[in-house]
Amino acid sequence: CALPIYNALSKAIELDRGYAQAYLERGRARFWERQYVSAIDDFNSVIRLDPNLASGATTLRILAQQALAQPPNAPNKSSGIN
């Protein structure tokens, strides 16, 4: 992932494997970089670690799964943009 925050979040997770907020933020960074499989892994960790963050992580996981299911040049159905 090319975002600068990614390295800091990965380091935080390395130091504390139970840091759900770091998984959530890293998952979001990976999602925006279109690294959907890795983002889904991070969102799954959030869901497992923190029930208070599970709802948001579940929504983001669904969006990443939908993005994976779309062909690369398919129109964006959710925004109406081709």
Side-chain angles (χ1 to χ4, degrees):
C1 190
L3 298 175
I5 193 71
Y6 175 81
N7 289 334
L9 292 166
S10 293
K11 182 66 174 177
I13 291 166
E14 181 182 316
L15 295 172
D16 180 359
R17 295 280 180 200
Y19 192 2
Q21 187 70 43
Y23 280 105
L24 180 62
E25 296 306 325
R26 188 176 72 176
R28 290 175 55 191
R30 287 174 161 175
F31 179 86
W32 292 115
E33 290 290 311
R34 295 188 170 116
Q35 295 177 3
Y36 301 121
V37 172
S38 296
I40 290 167
D41 289 341
D42 281 345
F43 299 142
N44 286 335
S45 294
V46 174
I47 293 163
R48 179 177 42 81
L49 291 169
D50 190 338
N52 294 318
L53 298 175
S55 178
T58 299
T59 300
L60 290 168
R61 182 180 66 184
I62 290 168
L63 291 173
Q65 290 167 333
Q66 289 174 346
L68 273 176
Q70 280 189 337
N73 295 319
N76 185 334
K77 295 177 184 174
S78 62
S79 68
I81 299 172
N82 293 330

